């Protein structure tokens, strides 16, 4: 008896982060240039396949710069993928953000196939091939790719014109059956750019089951050996329903490795064993010298682009005390609200100040200032929210504050076990008063909309970030609110677009809320 030893190396949700930086003038443990060193080291251990599971070409300042300024040139993100000899890639939902011509050019440039088992052209053919069979050391591995079919809900119609997105679970089921019957494969690997609505261990629901994240259903019911997931940016390496399951984070912060040991007798597999692990980039991980060399020029161009003025502030939009911004409304907060409302044509908005340090915009604003202040990769959703739910949300926001010896402080629940400044929202488009002297649950004393008391039974369209729209941060009532609009463009890009339309912005502030204490 012999044992054949193989492995799958998996990335997902790279989002264009090649260099070890989020472009805030710091070096960070992330990026494909560092991950490449880990990939190279693992390739030396046993025969390997390298797979990317989607959201590869969009998201970083470098990706934005390439799209804006180098659309006629080869895509450096694909150049790196080609250099690393990826074997296959899966379409993520963000692959479509720049439109089909841009995406098709990236696919054409790629020296590896992109799989689309549930994305179809109008004539019924698949957008690209649905699966591939790779032979490694005599072992035939079938790899199927499917993408969350919620793309049409999020994406601009013009970006996916002529494409139909079928149910990812049902499509995967069809292709697994097909390759089991017709391709004589030894292993089936399902690559799904989607995540989990249920806990893999207990089966408990962890988010509303909308169909966006069908990973648990796939794991439980489909006849594959290995399930590769993404989309949620989680870090998962486990086993469930006898399958090895991975989800390797985001921005190249870790590599998923699935080792596969196959016991062979007389040319037949008599036993399969596979194990999933995650391997993280850290401060000691070296840049891969050849990848770094490929990126030197475009990285420096991106740095220069980030430092070019993108807009001008007249007045003062800087602050030093983040807590004070949450007590007394600041022009920076009003600016972010205005961007959200202008980007969605919505009259009511809520946003948080995501960090506790100094911030805001100087008079001459660069792209670097934008990404330094807006530190999360949020997109926007417009929800249809009842007035009573707005009041509930304001009551939750009021729990951010406590009174200690008559002094306004931050509640312990927002400080431990970790600081959560991002879970205190400020609202625009309504006027309201929070009285922290009153008991929790009774602190909202007044809410008006367009000069009239907010109607608890009426519905209002509210724009918020996609994180809050999931109900995260103790806002569970948002989960069941109808989604009116889903803008799948990063807020940093939306802020930049706002400055393009409004190159001079007045630092002004209408104080529409009051904190009493």
């Amino acid at each position: 008896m012999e044992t054949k030893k193989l492995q799958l190396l998996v990335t997902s949700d790279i989002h264009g982060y090649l260099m070890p930086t989020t472009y805030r003038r710091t070096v960070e443990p992330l990026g494909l240039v560092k991950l490449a060193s880990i990939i190279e080291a693992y390739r030396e251990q046993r025969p390997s396949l390298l797979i990317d599971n989607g959201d590869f070409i969009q998201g970083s300042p470098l990706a934005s710069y390439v799209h804006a300024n180098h659309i006629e040139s080869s895509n450096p993100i694909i150049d790196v993928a080609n250099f690393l000899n990826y074997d296959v890639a899966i379409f993520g939902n963000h692959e479509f953000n720049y439109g089909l011509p841009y995406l098709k050019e990236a696919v054409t440039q790629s020296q590896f196939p992109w799989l689309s088992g549930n994305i179809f052209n109008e004539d019924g053919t698949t957008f690209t091939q649905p699966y591939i069979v790779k032979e490694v050391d005599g072992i035939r591995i079938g790899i199927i790719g499917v993408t969350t079919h919620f793309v049409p809900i999020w994406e601009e119609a013009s970006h996916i014109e002529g494409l139909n997105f079928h149910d990812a679970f049902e499509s995967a089921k069809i292709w697994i059956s097909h390759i089991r019957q017709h391709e004589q494969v030894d292993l089936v690997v399902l690559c799904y750019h989607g995540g989990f609505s249920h806990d893999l261990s207990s089966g408990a629901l962890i988010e509303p089951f909308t169909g966006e994240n069908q990973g648990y259903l796939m794991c439980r019911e489909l006849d594959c050996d290995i399930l590769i997931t993404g989309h949620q940016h989680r870090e998962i390496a486990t086993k469930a329903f006898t399958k090895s399951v991975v989800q390797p984070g985001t921005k190249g912060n870790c590599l998923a490795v699935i080792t596969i040991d196959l016991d062979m007798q007389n040319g037949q597999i008599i036993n399969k064993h596979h194990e999933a692990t995650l391997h993280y980039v850290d401060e000691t991980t070296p840049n891969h010298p050849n990848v770094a060399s490929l990126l030197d020029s475009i990285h420096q161009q991106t740095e220069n682009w980030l430092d070019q003025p993108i807009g001008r502030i007249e007045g003062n939009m800087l602050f030093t005390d983040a807590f004070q911004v949450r007590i007394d409304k600041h022009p920076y907060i009003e600016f972010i609200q205005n961007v959200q409302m202008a980007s969605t044509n919505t009259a009511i908005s809520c946003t948080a100040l995501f960090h506790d340090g100094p911030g805001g915009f100087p008079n001459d604003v660069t792209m670097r200032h934008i990404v330094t202040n807006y530190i999360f990769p949020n997109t926007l959703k417009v929800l249809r929210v009842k007035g009573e739910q707005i009041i509930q949300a304001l009551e939750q926001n009021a729990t951010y504050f406590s009174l200690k010896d008559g002094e306004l402080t931050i509640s312990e629940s927002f400080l431990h076990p970790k600081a959560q400044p991002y879970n205190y929202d400020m609202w625009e488009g309504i006027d309201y008063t929070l009285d922290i002297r009153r008991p929790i649950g009774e602190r909202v004393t007044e809410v008006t909309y367009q000069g009239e008391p907010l109607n608890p039974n009426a519905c209002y369209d509210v724009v918020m970030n996609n994180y809050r729209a999931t109900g995260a941060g103790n806002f569970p009532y948002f989960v069941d609110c109808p989604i009116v609009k889903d803008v799948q463009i990063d807020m940093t890009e939306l802020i930049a677009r706002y400055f393009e339309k409004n190159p001079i912005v007045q630092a002004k502030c209408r104080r529409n809320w009051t904190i009493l204490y």
Side-chain angles (χ1 to χ4, degrees):
M1 186 180 73
E2 67 168 327
T3 300
K4 293 196 173 184
K5 296 179 178 293
L6 321 171
Q7 66 187 353
L8 306 180
L9 310 177
V10 183
T11 61
S12 191
D13 297 87
I14 295 292
H15 282 291
Y17 282 89
L18 306 182
M19 299 299 289
T21 179
T22 52
Y23 290 92
R24 295 177 177 87
R25 296 195 186 280
T26 56
V27 175
E28 299 168 67
L30 53 84
L32 202 51
V33 70
K34 285 188 177 292
L35 207 61
S37 295
I38 298 177
I39 291 169
E40 185 174 79
Y42 274 92
R43 271 182 166 153
E44 293 175 356
Q45 297 183 10
R46 53 173 71 189
S48 306
L49 293 177
L50 179 58
I51 299 169
D52 184 78
N53 196 48
D55 281 1
F56 192 63
I57 65 171
Q58 180 277 345
S60 69
L62 184 147
S64 297
Y65 172 73
V66 169
H67 175 252
N69 299 281
H70 286 264
I71 199 165
E72 301 300 327
S73 307
S74 70
N75 190 318
I77 303 170
I78 301 300
D79 288 339
V80 170
N82 287 338
F83 177 83
L84 291 175
N85 292 313
Y86 270 86
D87 291 281
V88 66
I90 314 304
F91 293 99
N93 54 295
H94 284 287
E95 252 67 70
F96 299 90
N97 286 174
Y98 295 142
L100 280 180
Y102 189 84
L103 176 55
K104 287 179 178 179
E105 183 57 37
V107 170
T108 299
Q109 184 189 334
S110 301
Q111 296 168 8
F112 49 87
W114 290 72
L115 305 184
S116 63
N118 69 316
I119 308 172
F120 289 81
N121 299 308
E122 289 180 325
D123 64 3
T125 59
T126 51
F127 178 51
T128 58
Q129 66 193 81
Y131 68 87
I132 190 172
V133 177
K134 301 285 288 187
E135 190 165 312
V136 182
D137 195 17
I139 302 301
R140 289 173 59 81
I141 303 175
I143 304 172
I144 300 163
V146 291
T147 303
T148 177
H149 53 270
F150 273 46
V151 174
I153 296 174
W154 305 319
E155 193 54 69
E156 290 185 31
S158 62
H159 289 175
I160 53 173
E161 188 173 1
L163 296 182
N164 296 309
F165 289 76
H166 293 193
D167 184 280
F169 172 83
E170 295 298 336
S171 297
K173 185 177 182 180
I174 290 168
W175 291 117
I176 290 172
S177 176
H178 175 86
I179 66 171
R180 289 283 192 198
Q181 292 179 33
H182 301 290
E183 296 289 1
Q184 297 180 322
V185 294
D186 299 305
L187 290 166
V188 174
V189 178
L190 177 58
C191 300
Y192 169 48
H193 189 82
F196 300 97
S197 58
H198 294 70
D199 181 85
L200 278 169
S201 299
S202 67
L205 198 65
I206 57 176
E207 66 171 46
F209 186 67
T210 62
E212 176 185 349
N213 294 300
Q214 298 173 296
Y216 180 80
L217 193 63
M218 291 175 176
C219 196
R220 188 184 67 190
E221 298 190 15
L222 296 185
D223 182 25
C224 60
D225 297 285
I226 292 164
L227 177 62
I228 293 169
T229 67
H231 186 53
Q232 293 172 314
H233 299 182
R234 296 171 65 188
E235 296 165 10
I236 299 171
T238 189
K239 250 206 178 113
F241 303 100
T242 74
K243 301 171 178 66
S244 288
V245 182
V246 296
Q247 190 172 138
T250 184
K251 297 187 179 75
N253 70 316
C254 64
L255 178 74
V257 177
I258 305 165
T259 55
I260 303 168
D261 294 336
L262 303 173
D263 295 332
M264 310 291 294
Q265 192 166 8
N266 299 323
Q268 301 296 315
I269 298 172
I270 60 172
N271 185 48
K272 301 177 184 178
H273 178 76
H274 34 82
E275 202 71 39
T277 52
L278 296 177
H279 302 271
Y280 289 85
V281 169
D282 60 29
E283 289 77 8
T284 66
T285 307
N287 290 352
H288 190 290
N290 295 333
V291 177
S293 179
L294 275 176
L295 294 172
D296 279 346
S297 176
I298 197 69
H299 173 61
Q300 190 56 54
Q301 291 174 53
T302 301
E303 290 279 13
N304 295 340
W305 173 69
L306 286 171
D307 285 332
Q308 292 177 1
I310 199 170
R312 180 160 181 81
I313 303 296
E314 291 191 347
N316 181 20
M317 204 177 278
L318 292 169
F319 59 85
T320 57
D321 186 341
F323 184 62
Q324 194 62 38
V325 172
R326 299 185 181 104
I327 301 171
D328 296 316
K329 186 180 174 186
H330 189 273
Y332 172 75
I333 296 300
E334 182 159 306
F335 171 80
I336 296 299
Q337 306 277 30
N338 287 340
V339 171
Q340 293 192 167
M341 292 187 293
S343 300
T344 56
N345 193 28
T346 308
I348 302 177
S349 171
C350 65
T351 189
L353 177 61
F354 300 117
H355 57 81
D356 284 322
F361 293 148
N363 294 125
D364 292 313
V365 182
T366 67
M367 192 68 183
R368 196 182 304 275
H369 293 126
I370 294 173
V371 301
T372 301
N373 278 276
Y374 205 101
I375 61 175
F376 291 122
N378 289 335
T379 56
L380 296 179
K381 288 190 178 184
V382 178
L383 302 186
R384 187 148 291 158
V385 181
K386 285 186 176 181
E388 63 180 352
Q389 293 168 326
I390 292 175
I391 295 170
Q392 284 179 287
L394 293 173
E395 288 286 3
Q396 171 59 28
N397 292 327
T399 67
Y400 178 77
F401 298 106
S402 290
L403 283 176
K404 187 175 182 180
D405 299 326
E407 182 179 350
L408 194 66
T409 62
I410 302 172
S411 296
E412 286 295 313
S413 61
F414 282 81
L415 295 173
H416 304 289
K418 66 176 183 177
Q420 301 175 57
Y422 49 83
N423 280 330
Y424 168 73
D425 289 335
M426 294 155 279
W427 286 66
E428 190 74 28
I430 58 174
D431 291 72
Y432 60 96
T433 300
L434 306 180
D435 190 344
I436 311 306
R437 300 166 299 185
R438 296 170 63 89
I440 286 176
E442 301 176 14
R443 290 176 168 180
V444 177
T445 60
E446 183 182 29
V447 189
T448 61
Y449 174 66
Q450 296 181 345
E452 298 292 330
L454 192 76
N455 184 344
N457 299 313
C459 290
Y460 303 87
D461 289 353
V462 179
V463 58
M464 62 187 70
N465 67 59
N466 60 311
Y467 174 79
R468 184 67 73 242
T470 66
N474 294 314
F475 298 84
Y477 25 82
F478 289 153
V479 172
D480 298 321
C481 293
I483 299 172
V484 177
K485 189 176 294 185
D486 196 330
V487 180
Q488 282 286 302
I489 301 172
D490 193 289
M491 260 298 286
T492 56
E493 190 170 336
L494 291 176
I495 293 168
R497 290 184 184 185
Y498 187 89
F499 275 117
E500 288 174 6
K501 295 180 181 178
N502 307 275
I504 299 176
V505 173
Q506 302 295 322
K508 59 182 181 179
C509 175
R510 187 184 78 84
R511 301 190 185 280
N512 62 302
W513 43 270
T514 302
I515 308 293
L516 300 177
Y517 58 97

